[in-house]
Amino acid sequence: MLSIKYHKIFDYKLVKSDFPKWFYKIDSKDISKISKTKSKTRLQREKYSLSKLKLAKKAAKILAKIPTIKFVGITGSLAMMNSNKDSDIDLMIITKTGTMWTTRLLVHCLLFTVHYPLRRPNIKKQKDMLCINLWLDENDLIWNKADRNIYTAHEIAQVVPLVNKNQTYEKFLWENKWILDFWPNAIDRELLAISNKPLEKPLIATGYSLITSIVEKIAFKLQYFYMRKKITRETITPTKALFHPQDWGKVVLEKLNK
């Protein structure tokens, strides 16, 4: 029943074809009660999601040209094809070691140049805007143990890769294989087979020029200075930026406990 209850929180009614991927703890009696057909709400949201998916793919194609970007993926409601008409487009980016904040500046400048709207804090209008709320350095992909829960595991498992250089997506899954404790069938086993041993660790900052290292430090300090007064519970470090002001993991767990 937990699988059904979890997805109901997001107004996502499971159908039989969703199993066994989103199997958690559900017995055969529960499965027999699940409809084979999708609800009208879900079908409508899939239509909205298709148009947003086209925009996400176009944006990812542009971002792939930046050499320091190793991965671009869809997260949030769009990753589940469950977007509303006015939803934004959530993206996650993984960068080469020691270039995350420099890359973030390049991304914002590039998207501004090609007129792709980026969602900004405290702006109500969000329809079709790109919201890049997850930034990871390829050398810091593991989620903190304190933040590992059923919600975070689902969010990681549902990520849809659009740009994947040098098996970065596979490495990301390998580093966070703890999600199988919550959703044991949510990851393609072939992907895990590719990553059944740790991939080669990326070079530490010594592999980059001194100038690159200095530029990265300046980029981090400038951006941190700009956003420091707005930070609530976001994670901001030299190698990771998680822009999630609301603790959705806590919200979901409270609703499940009820």
Side-chain angles (χ1 to χ4, degrees), residues 3-105:
S3 297
I4 298 173
K5 290 179 179 178
Y6 179 91
H7 290 89
K8 191 175 181 180
I9 293 173
F10 299 92
D11 198 17
Y12 189 86
K13 188 175 182 181
L14 292 175
V15 295
K16 288 188 177 181
S17 60
D18 293 319
F19 295 95
K21 180 175 182 177
W22 296 119
F23 174 92
Y24 186 80
K25 293 179 180 179
I26 180 169
D27 58 34
S28 58
K29 292 181 180 179
D30 295 320
I31 294 177
S32 65
K33 297 176 183 178
I34 297 175
S35 173
K36 292 182 179 180
T37 58
K38 297 177 181 179
S39 65
K40 289 183 180 180
T41 298
R42 184 166 166 181
L43 289 172
Q44 183 61 63
R45 288 183 178 179
E46 286 184 356
K47 289 182 180 179
Y48 293 141
S49 297
L50 283 173
S51 63
K52 296 177 190 295
L53 182 59
K54 291 179 181 179
L55 293 174
K57 287 181 176 180
K58 288 181 180 179
K61 189 175 182 180
I62 294 172
L63 295 176
K65 298 181 184 299
I66 299 177
T68 53
I69 286 182
K70 302 198 69 175
F71 175 84
V72 179
I74 301 172
T75 64
S77 61
L78 182 56
M80 294 292 290
M81 298 297 285
N82 193 40
S83 295
N84 290 314
K85 183 179 180 180
D86 297 323
S87 297
D88 59 5
I89 299 170
D90 293 322
L91 296 179
M92 164 186 170
I93 290 180
I94 298 175
T95 70
K96 286 185 178 180
T97 300
T99 68
M100 194 187 81
W101 290 98
T102 306
T103 303
R104 187 170 182 269
L105 278 180

Side-chain angles (χ1 to χ4, degrees), residues 120-217:
R120 300 183 181 279
N122 302 320
I123 294 180
K124 293 183 179 180
K125 183 181 178 182
Q126 58 178 322
K127 181 181 179 181
D128 295 341
M129 288 188 173
L130 298 180
C131 181
I132 310 177
N133 51 21
L134 294 177
W135 293 84
L136 301 174
D137 180 297
E138 66 174 333
N139 204 36
D140 188 10
L141 302 177
I142 305 175
W143 243 251
N144 295 329
K145 289 185 177 180
D147 298 323
R148 298 178 187 180
N149 53 55
I150 188 172
Y151 169 77
T152 308
H154 197 291
E155 291 295 300
I156 291 174
Q158 72 189 34
V159 170
V160 178
L162 296 179
V163 175
N164 183 28
K165 302 175 184 177
N166 306 119
Q167 296 184 341
T168 301
Y169 176 59
E170 288 78 7
K171 182 189 174 186
F172 172 67
L173 292 180
W174 171 260
E175 298 286 3
N176 292 287
K177 57 185 178 294
W178 57 268
I179 66 178
L180 296 176
D181 294 335
F182 295 92
W183 303 101
N185 301 316
I187 299 177
D188 189 335
R189 293 291 171 173
E190 292 184 4
L191 291 178
L192 285 182
I194 294 174
S195 304
N196 60 4
K197 60 181 180 179
L199 300 180
E200 184 179 348
K201 287 288 184 181
L203 295 175
I204 308 302
T206 53
Y208 294 90
S209 68
L210 178 61
I211 295 176
T212 302
S213 178
I214 293 173
V215 170
E216 175 66 10
K217 289 179 181 179

